[in-house]
Amino acid sequence: MAGGLVKYRHLSRDSSARKALLRGLVTQLVQYEHIQTTHAKAKEAQRLAEKLITLAKKNNEPCRRSAQGILYTPHVLLPKLFGELRNRYLTREGGYTRVTRTEPKNTYDQAESSILEFVDGPKDSRFMMTAKTLARDRLLGREPTALTLQNATKVTRFRGQKDLDDMVQRFMALETDESTPERAKPEGHGGEAQKMADRESAKVREIIGDSVTETLTKGREEDAKR
């Protein structure tokens, strides 16, 4: 490139427009903890998001004012930033976000697309994929691979083993519920427990879709043929 190396991506915008764009992306990231955009925007927003978590961990008045100048809705998101997110990453020295390449969102221009997310959060894609793989292996009665065990060690380093086990049980319960045509209502609680179970299954299904169900169904059919 003419003019030598560039320290950051201009994103085809002038300074004020670029700053406004990144502020908007980081505001959405703090609110939803999981956003999808172009790869270039995700990488630039990641730098600002990492800085924002560093400010939250310091937790003093100058840092609060700096964070307030970054977020578009500080009155809504500052309590979450200096509360939930700060406590989550208090013992982590860095690497609070992750950028994962995905298929292009636009089928016409085929621009590189990526997901920007907070690690160890409720929408951590790597955590959910690891739990889904462990649940599939348990239902199919086979041992997890070395790569799966390595990923399980990574995702539970700061989050803990209990959260992973709970999510694996949710995946397994989801498959069991869908494979049973009629489910007996729990005794002593009427239909309230059943409604809670249905809501939990719907929440998990919304996160992961039907891919795990299709995989497990095909696996059982192949075992039956053998």
Side-chain angles (χ1 to χ4, degrees):
M1 179 182 294
L5 297 177
V6 179
K7 294 184 179 180
Y8 56 87
R9 299 171 177 86
H10 294 284
L11 303 177
S12 300
R13 290 166 173 81
D14 58 20
S15 179
S16 59
R18 179 181 179 276
K19 182 178 179 180
L21 170 66
L22 296 180
R23 287 182 60 193
L25 291 175
V26 172
T27 299
Q28 292 181 359
L29 178 63
V30 174
Q31 181 177 359
Y32 301 108
E33 301 193 20
H34 182 101
I35 61 174
Q36 184 175 7
T37 181
T38 63
H39 182 70
K41 293 177 183 177
K43 294 297 288 185
E44 290 302 306
Q46 183 183 29
R47 299 169 63 179
L48 186 59
E50 296 276 342
K51 176 182 178 181
L52 196 64
I53 297 299
T54 302
L55 294 174
K57 292 176 65 175
K58 292 181 179 179
N59 194 21
N60 52 35
E61 189 61 27
C63 291
R64 284 182 172 271
R65 292 180 180 178
S66 298
Q68 186 175 0
I70 294 175
L71 298 173
Y72 273 126
T73 54
H75 59 288
V76 177
L77 298 178
L78 277 183
K80 179 180 181 180
L81 176 64
F82 286 89
E84 177 185 349
L85 295 179
R86 177 179 181 273
N87 295 331
R88 182 190 303 173
Y89 302 120
L90 202 57
T91 59
R92 183 187 283 266
E93 296 182 357
Y96 316 115
T97 59
R98 180 188 300 119
V99 174
T100 306
R101 290 182 181 270
T102 61
E103 295 182 356
K105 294 179 61 177
N106 193 325
T107 58
Y108 298 101
D109 60 13
Q110 292 292 303
E112 292 184 344
S113 181
S114 292
I115 291 176
L116 175 61
E117 61 185 353
F118 281 122
V119 300
D120 296 337
K123 296 183 179 180
D124 189 340
S125 59
R126 181 177 295 179
F127 190 90
M128 287 189 290
M129 291 178 65
T130 303
K132 180 167 59 175
T133 304
L134 290 172
R136 180 194 60 192
D137 291 340
R138 292 182 185 180
L139 289 174
L140 294 179
R142 63 189 184 189
E143 294 294 329
T145 63
L147 180 60
T148 302
L149 294 177
Q150 182 180 1
N151 289 333
T153 303
K154 289 181 178 179
V155 298
T156 56
R157 179 181 177 185
F158 293 96
R159 190 165 178 175
Q161 184 67 32
K162 185 179 183 301
D163 288 345
L164 181 63
D165 293 338
D166 291 343
M167 184 166 289
V168 170
Q169 293 299 326
R170 290 184 183 182
F171 281 116
M172 297 177 67
L174 175 63
E175 170 59 19
T176 303
D177 291 343
E178 291 184 349
S179 61
T180 304
E182 294 183 0
R183 289 172 290 175
K185 293 183 179 181
E187 297 179 359
H189 297 282
E192 185 62 28
Q194 184 63 46
K195 292 179 181 179
M196 293 177 62
D198 291 340
R199 286 197 297 267
E200 187 69 20
S201 298
K203 188 181 300 183
V204 175
R205 190 180 297 108
E206 180 181 350
I207 296 175
I208 65 171
D210 299 328
S211 59
V212 64
T213 303
E214 296 176 358
T215 302
L216 295 173
T217 302
K218 292 179 181 178
R220 286 200 302 270
E221 292 177 353
E222 292 178 356
D223 293 340
K225 291 180 181 178
R226 296 173 186 172

